[in-house]
Amino acid sequence: MARWKDEEAKYLFEEGGSLIVLEVPEGTRFGVDYKEWTVGPRFKGVKMLPPGVHFIYYSATDKMGGVAPRTGFFVHVAARSVGVRLWNAAGEDVLPESSIDPEQLERYRLALREFEPGMAPYEYGDTAKVWSRLASYVTEDVVQRHQPLSGKVCAVKTASAHQLNDDDERRRQDGRRRATRVEQCVVEGVRVELHFDADADVECGGDGSRGGGGSGGGSTGGDGDGGCDGGAAVKSDRQAEMLRFTAIPRHCFPRDASLGERTRHSLDKSLMLRSLLAGAWRGEAGRLLGELQFAFVCFLVGQVFDAFEQWKALVDLLCSCDDAVAAAATQPLYFELLAVLHSQLQEVPTDFFVDLLSRDNFLVVSLRRLLAAVREVPTPSDKGAAERVAALQSRASKVASFLRDRFNWDFEGDPEVDDDPPVVVVA
């Protein structure tokens, strides 16, 4: 933990953000980003928060030492901002600011200096550096697009639209084939069809996000009903708690494509990636990388396993695009992707993937294909383009060395003749 001189601590307190959290029971687990504490009797919140997006989480405990499932929420902190939350003893939860009387809320904010001695300082050491790397693309916009409508990420209750669809599908009794929804778009002058799994009660928003519509989806109000007509209250509650991830198509190919073209676009998903970049992520690679990081944080810190399924789906998509890796337009995306994956894989235990992925060896196969595609990118004649390719290949080589040292994974083999053929994972 960083030790501050008086003048440094005063500056960080005055210029940073503060989150007042009152009436939290002693013994509660409380964390910010990548740092967790056990609450003491004088705890009043967190101070010296740097501007940006942060993840606040907590777990109630009992007298026997039992720990409740983790619950959390994202906050966007501005310089000198003061947020306020109150503990709800009945629900063992933190109440949002909207539930606090406005006059009382203002009194709490004006009393910040009275609360300050009991507020934990934000950890500016190594843990802050880890969070900065893990959430470098997680902006306020990314959070608004993908967090549950309730604003709460709960390890037990939170799922994504994909999981909700699967649950509903299992309850269908009429024996019909699973419905498929086809959307069309134009990518680089080519009319493209994207084939999604569809569910009658969960629509794909206009921005491509699933689960009650994403930011800008247009079909969802603020009441968490997901735009569904006639849905039961329980279904609305479930939708309000869902993570709203981008729906990944099962297939994507040009309209009226031949069988050979369909096969080619099933093996190399570059067209699917370009279609989703242009549509769901609105032409911004940062939105894609932000969703990848958001999903990973919700799993790693929020302990939501369904977020890991979305992370796998995105990694599978990005690693299955040989043409996109070789294309100048998308090479900057892959240069940043390698840094994102490197940072993420630094934070998981060495036996993590043995437990979760030994069934299909998913990540080894996916990364082997990606790294092989980067190695095979030809050197352009243009000097600037050649330097860009060299930088991409250098970064890929460093990532391969890291993975070989940390996980003992071999990336020298040919992905096309590997003993374990790639398994397409689409959540």
Side-chain angles (χ1 to χ4, degrees):
M1 179 176 177
R3 299 296 178 183
W4 304 105
K5 296 179 180 179
D6 290 344
E7 59 270 22
E8 292 175 331
K10 180 180 179 181
Y11 175 81
L12 290 171
F13 174 68
E14 293 179 349
E15 296 301 318
S18 299
L19 181 65
I20 299 170
V21 188
L22 302 178
E23 303 176 10
V24 181
E26 185 176 358
T28 300
R29 303 282 183 82
F30 190 93
V32 179
D33 299 341
Y34 218 57
K35 176 68 174 180
E36 185 180 39
W37 303 272
T38 298
V39 169
R42 299 175 58 243
F43 179 77
K44 293 294 185 290
V46 184
K47 60 186 177 181
M48 300 161 56
L49 288 160
V53 171
H54 299 279
F55 186 59
I56 314 297
Y57 51 96
Y58 45 89
S59 299
T61 58
D62 58 31
K63 295 180 180 179
M64 303 300 294
V67 181
R70 181 171 290 179
T71 300
F73 55 91
F74 288 88
V75 294
H76 182 266
V77 174
R80 303 184 181 184
S81 63
V82 181
V84 181
R85 299 289 193 278
L86 296 179
W87 182 264
N88 175 17
E92 296 186 327
D93 197 6
V94 172
L95 298 175
E97 280 191 359
S98 59
S99 66
I100 305 174
D101 177 76
E103 293 185 0
Q104 183 63 46
L105 183 63
E106 186 61 23
R107 285 194 289 269
Y108 285 139
R109 286 175 172 156
L110 292 175
L112 174 62
R113 289 197 176 275
E114 297 178 24
F115 296 129
E116 190 267 338
M119 299 177 73
Y122 183 79
E123 174 58 68
Y124 276 85
D126 292 339
T127 54
K129 295 177 183 178
V130 170
W131 176 255
S132 179
R133 292 195 302 265
L134 290 179
S136 57
Y137 285 95
V138 180
T139 62
E140 185 177 13
D141 175 68
V142 168
V143 171
Q144 291 299 322
R145 282 170 55 84
H146 301 302
Q147 72 176 349
L149 293 172
S150 67
K152 293 289 183 67
V153 177
C154 180
V156 170
K157 296 180 181 179
T158 305
S160 74
H162 309 302
Q163 183 63 50
L164 181 59
N165 288 353
D166 291 342
D167 292 344
D168 290 344
E169 187 66 24
R170 282 192 289 270
R171 288 194 292 268
R172 296 185 190 277
Q173 301 296 325
D174 58 8
R176 291 178 297 177
R177 292 181 59 187
R178 187 164 183 163
T180 299
R181 174 172 50 81
V182 179
E183 292 191 357
Q184 295 189 13
C185 63
V186 177
V187 180
E188 298 174 0
V190 178
R191 183 162 294 279
V192 173
E193 291 184 351
L194 298 97
H195 294 245
F196 295 87
D197 285 338
D199 185 273
D201 296 325
V202 180
E203 299 177 359
C204 179
D207 64 353
S209 59
R210 296 291 293 272
S215 172
S219 63
T220 304
D223 56 2
D225 65 1
C228 300
D229 50 358
V234 172
K235 183 66 172 293
S236 296
D237 291 342
R238 292 178 67 199
Q239 287 181 324
E241 294 164 353
M242 290 190 305
L243 293 166
R244 297 173 295 161
F245 290 130
T246 298
I248 308 299
R250 284 194 175 273
H251 305 289
C252 175
F253 31 71
R255 186 179 182 183
D256 302 323
S258 66
L259 181 60
E261 289 175 319
R262 292 186 176 215
T263 300
R264 178 167 64 85
H265 289 296
S266 295
L267 294 174
D268 185 326
K269 299 180 181 179
S270 298
L271 180 62
M272 182 185 296
L273 175 62
R274 292 198 297 270
S275 299
L276 291 174
L277 271 173
W281 295 304
R282 301 178 186 177
E284 299 179 22
R287 286 175 176 252
L288 164 54
L289 296 173
E291 181 172 349
L292 184 71
Q293 289 185 329
F294 180 91
F296 189 80
V297 165
C298 285
F299 169 69
L300 184 69
V301 185
Q303 301 179 350
V304 180
F305 184 78
D306 206 53
F308 179 68
E309 294 299 314
Q310 179 70 4
W311 181 81
K312 286 173 62 178
L314 291 171
V315 170
D316 174 75
L317 169 62
L318 288 161
C319 292
S320 303
C321 302
D322 298 352
D323 287 349
V325 172
T330 41
Q331 282 174 356
L333 163 63
Y334 280 93
F335 185 77
E336 296 302 321
L337 171 67
L338 288 168
V340 167
L341 292 175
H342 189 184
S343 297
Q344 292 175 340
L345 297 178
Q346 283 180 301
E347 302 310 316
V348 298
T350 54
D351 59 351
F352 177 80
F353 294 104
V354 173
D355 296 333
L356 286 177
L357 297 175
S358 58
R359 296 186 303 275
D360 55 26
N361 202 23
F362 158 78
L363 194 59
V364 176
V365 172
S366 295
L367 290 177
R368 181 175 295 174
R369 176 171 177 175
L370 173 61
L371 295 173
V374 173
R375 287 197 305 268
E376 293 168 4
V377 175
T379 302
S381 57
D382 177 76
K383 182 180 179 181
E387 290 176 349
R388 181 177 61 245
V389 169
L392 177 65
Q393 292 175 333
S394 176
R395 178 165 287 185
S397 178
K398 292 177 181 177
V399 171
S401 296
F402 159 75
L403 295 173
R404 189 162 44 245
D405 294 341
R406 182 169 177 80
F407 298 103
N408 197 29
W409 291 347
D410 175 28
F411 293 101
E412 298 303 322
D414 184 350
E416 299 299 327
V417 297
D418 194 87
D419 292 337
D420 296 316
V423 177
V424 178
V425 178
V426 179

